[in-house]
Amino acid sequence: NNVWFQKLCRCASLCNVATFNESSKWELNEEDGTKTLDEVGNPIPVPFSGFITQGDGSKLETIFWQPVGNASECAMIKLVQTESATIGDVEATRTANPVKFVIPFNSKNKYQVHIHAKADGSGDVLQMKGAPERIIARCTHMMLDDKMVELTDIERKNIEDQQEALSANGLRCLGFAELDLDPNVYGAGYKYATDDAEFSSSNFPLGDIPKPDDRDAQGRRQNPVSTQGLVFLGLMALIDPPRPAVPPAVEKCKTAGVKVIMVTGDHPVTAQAIAYKVGILWSKTRGDMEKDNAKYGRAPGDPDYENPDDAAAIVVPGHTISVDMSEEEWDFILGHPQIVFARTSPQQKLVIVENNQRQGHIVAVTGDGVNDSPAIKKADIGIAMGIMGSEVSKNAADMILLDDNFASIVKGVEEGRLIFDNLKKSIAYTIQSNIPEITPFLGFIIFAIPLPLTTFLILAIDLGTDMIPAISMAYELPEADIMTRPPRNSKTDRLVTKRMINFSYLQIGLIQAIAGFFTYLVVFNDYGYSPTVLMGRGNTEVWGMQPFFCKFQGGSYVNLAGDLDTTRDPTIDPPSVEFPFWFPGQSGYLVDCGFAHNNYKGGGSDVSLSADGKSFNQFDSSTYGGSTKGHKANTIEAYEANYKAGYFQYIPWRSRVSPFWQNRFLWWDVANDQNAGLNYGGADNNLYFGGRPAGLWSICAGNDGTLGKEGSSSEVRGAYVSPDAEVVDPSTFDFSQCSDTSYSNSYYKNAKFCNGQSTEEGTACDVVNSGKNGLSVNPFQSFYCKDSCGEQIPDSSLQFCDVSGNKCGIPGVNTPVAGCDQLCDDVCYSPSFMGDAEYGGSASTGYKQCQNIASAEGALEVLRHAQGAFFLSIVVGQIAGLLVCKTRWLSVRTQGMRNNVMLFGIGTEILLCGWLAYCIPINDGLGTRNVRLVHWFCAIPFAMFIFIYDESRKAVMRATSPEKTDPITGQVTRKAGWLEQNTYY
């Protein structure tokens, strides 16, 4: 019933644009949103407030009507509506007192003015609300005990003290004033205006400070009417409590090194109180120190004197900020770790942002109003409120908070750090495999070793095994210290740094590469190829495509059954047809290995037609015409030169007992279309001549018994040939009728192809096919078997049959005699025993042309096993690399293995490796083989070393980089040690 309170509430209702949502006043149907009607068809109203029952059974008073508008104005109308029984309904009051003129609130004036027609028709009333200091300054009178009295200095001081006390408790204070306008002056038709052509101020009272001599740029002076004082009605203090999540969020910002600066339009005392509540301020401000010194009479030099220059906190009122402040003044203000700017204007907010950016800070600005838009736009990242924010601020922002919660920003900072961390980890993991992928090619190019890894397997790593593990880094949880680190330096701490390259390439990647080469060499050694015989022998046109020759020291020759040949010394004797394998035994070893000279290169054009006009046929020697389609080829002379130099065809016994071995390598059907390193089986001519053909080229046979004219050197990088093969005497060759006595590594001009399948070969090929004694078995030449290829029988055991097919002849004598001169169906013969009508390629006789490809094919199979094992070793190393990339600073034990996507990725890449290695259609296509289980384990010690090394590196890095935790903020700072400076990526 207090008149003063009624006037205050009327002002709060009228000088206000907030309203209640009309739909919240009525019960609505859930289906269509229409009003719910009672029995007589009237809408059912919703009470303004009431009680709701909580989960624990207690009652909580709540307001059901939903206000729309500014939060402060919404609070005012809720207060007034609560007292509607005595004061009147808000909407009813507004209807009874229609508005006639409005001056909206702005950050410059800091007040809002409404002029309304009074309900009793006695004239108009001016209503004003705004910042208390602005309202009090415009008042000359006040309401006291239901009476209007003069506003004395004592009362003014009393009001200011009340306002200070409320603000000190973190309450937002607003002042209210009104003035009943004289109806004789301000009648019904009076036009209110804030200025006109003659005056620069309003034509109605506003309590302006008199400035009779001031004129604006247009020469207008102040309207004397605007200086008339108003009547102060009182203060309203609003509680705008910070959300519960804000103080913890601010604390997290402190530990993360994120400086939170409050920039507000609130009164400095209010701003300071709120800043203390949320943790933006936590120590004495500069102003508090000055007040305490003055209050207790402390002077510089006194023991209890508090030096304001030592203050870590400062509250800067907007009126102390000017556009012409020097950079030194700004640096002084911004040098404080705890800062609050109060009563600031939009221009001042913009200047604050600019000066923070000038100091090199990344600035994020939050705001919800139009006045915040310039600062939001200027900031490195502008953040607008999604619920309370204006459209202008949202359009200016880079990011919109859907929940208007400051804690969401801090969560965004944490999420941003996590994303940056995980991107770094993913990149560090992904590029690790570059070194073990590129070093095989470097080894192949520089050292000419057999290629350890194919491009197909590199693609299998990059597009297969690495994909899910690399993606799984996106699901990695944050490290425990992610919000205690200082912000990164955006100019130096990039996504990819030199230290990351050092870590991934020169540390982890290099260890993985060493693991791969170790596994590669182990596989070769396990299958009979010592690492010492690989360098300089890896040319892809010869390894696995041509026979491999070695000089043996000791050891024994072995047959298919594993029996030792006691009649031959591998040091000086070549292997026999029956005993083709070399076994080192206890003391045998390979002295040296290499290939035969590729000393013939035929024409690059299509192969010539035979004399009979026949098209090219791999089986018919008469259709070769001297062409090799431009490829380099071995000759029987090159093979003989190796044998005379003590280099014999090498088929290791370890390959014989390996899982890839097939006995048919010793008697391969050259018409077989199955995959073999040597491109038989009707392969394209270009591919066919790229390998060893189904027969032998002979230089002497093509040059009438001489080597013919020499060309350039036949040396090929990666196809090492022993120099000893260049000093032999060709006249001593067993399967080449050469009259020359010197031999070189040069190309020779002409050669004849021999395989005993054409009458056109003539006598030139007799020595190649049968040897100088006429009936010897050439170990390099094709041989022929009835119906299907089988084991070649040595000269000493060769038998013939009579016309009935019964075996006959004298054992140990390999010469057909009368009555015993027929070829047996179950015996394979060399071309020297094939009659003119029984060519091996003739369909009428059914003889199959066979060839011993064990030396070349065995080497190729070993290489494919080694390549598959190298591939698997990279994957094993990558698993270790994935684990060490889980963290950049902390131990993996601290981080834990909670990333299920990563665990799935590890399992998937192991299964994928198995699929690529053991699925027959796939491993044929990729060139992998069924890798022995023991070869999977070769890389495991290196993987363990990677893990132990990196865990040790991180432990030493943490130990040598001392950390210091601020006892107040919790922020962790550390002095980077040498290891962190050089390896922390």
Side-chain angles (χ1 to χ4, degrees), residues 170-190:
L171 301 178
R172 177 175 296 168
C173 293
L174 291 174
F176 294 82
E178 73 170 18
L179 182 67
D180 289 323
L181 300 178
D182 186 350
N184 296 321
V185 178
Y186 306 98
Y190 190 82

Side-chain angles (χ1 to χ4, degrees), residues 617-843:
N617 185 340
Q618 294 179 8
F619 309 108
D620 191 343
S621 58
S622 67
T623 63
Y624 279 71
S627 173
T628 62
K629 293 290 286 182
H631 291 282
K632 303 164 188 174
N634 297 140
T635 63
I636 183 60
E637 288 77 15
Y639 295 154
E640 290 264 33
N642 271 359
Y643 264 47
K644 295 302 179 182
Y647 285 78
F648 307 130
Q649 188 169 212
Y650 180 47
I651 307 173
W653 174 251
R654 289 182 180 177
S655 292
R656 164 65 183 87
V657 295
S658 67
F660 65 77
W661 176 259
Q662 300 178 46
N663 287 341
R664 64 189 185 128
F665 290 164
L666 295 172
W667 51 79
W668 189 269
D669 184 349
V670 298
N672 194 315
D673 59 358
Q674 295 186 37
N675 183 39
L678 305 173
N679 296 295
Y680 296 143
D684 175 81
N685 289 346
N686 191 54
L687 294 175
Y688 171 72
F689 282 105
R692 180 183 173 186
L696 292 170
W697 290 101
S698 174
I699 299 170
C700 290
N703 288 282
D704 299 325
T706 66
L707 290 173
K709 187 176 180 181
E710 297 181 18
S712 58
S713 172
S714 66
E715 289 185 0
V716 178
R717 176 172 170 76
Y720 168 80
V721 180
S722 171
D724 295 343
E726 301 176 20
V727 295
V728 298
D729 181 357
S731 65
T732 64
F733 292 168
D734 295 322
F735 295 96
S736 177
Q737 190 67 52
C738 284
S739 59
D740 298 77
T741 58
S742 63
Y743 175 81
S744 70
N745 65 350
S746 303
Y747 283 119
Y748 291 93
K749 300 299 183 181
N750 298 309
K752 185 174 181 62
F753 188 77
C754 304
N755 66 1
Q757 293 197 45
S758 173
T759 55
E760 295 179 18
E761 286 186 2
T763 58
C765 285
D766 286 349
V767 174
V768 177
N769 293 331
S770 305
K772 288 182 178 180
N773 65 3
L775 293 175
S776 298
V777 175
N778 187 338
F780 303 105
Q781 182 60 285
S782 298
F783 57 94
Y784 299 91
C785 302
K786 186 76 170 180
D787 298 329
S788 63
C789 291
E791 185 176 2
Q792 190 174 11
I793 297 176
D795 298 357
S796 59
S797 303
L798 193 64
Q799 287 185 286
F800 294 90
C801 291
D802 56 24
V803 293
S804 300
N806 300 313
K807 289 181 180 177
C808 56
I810 303 172
V813 178
N814 58 357
T815 304
V817 294
C820 190
D821 56 2
Q822 302 297 311
L823 302 181
C824 302
D825 289 346
D826 60 348
V827 178
C828 296
Y829 298 93
S830 65
S832 57
F833 300 105
M834 306 295 294
D836 288 345
E838 296 172 321
Y839 307 134
S842 172

Side-chain angles (χ1 to χ4, degrees), residues 469-513:
I471 293 171
S472 72
M473 283 298 185
Y475 297 88
E476 188 61 31
L477 299 175
E479 295 184 45
D481 69 333
I482 193 169
M483 289 302 283
T484 60
R485 307 174 194 160
R488 65 184 178 89
N489 188 325
S490 60
K491 295 182 179 179
T492 59
D493 192 4
R494 304 299 181 115
L495 201 57
V496 179
T497 62
K498 292 180 181 178
R499 286 177 287 183
M500 177 187 287
I501 299 299
N502 178 297
F503 170 78
S504 293
Y505 281 4
L506 301 183
Q507 296 175 51
I508 308 303
L510 188 59
I511 297 172
Q512 291 180 5

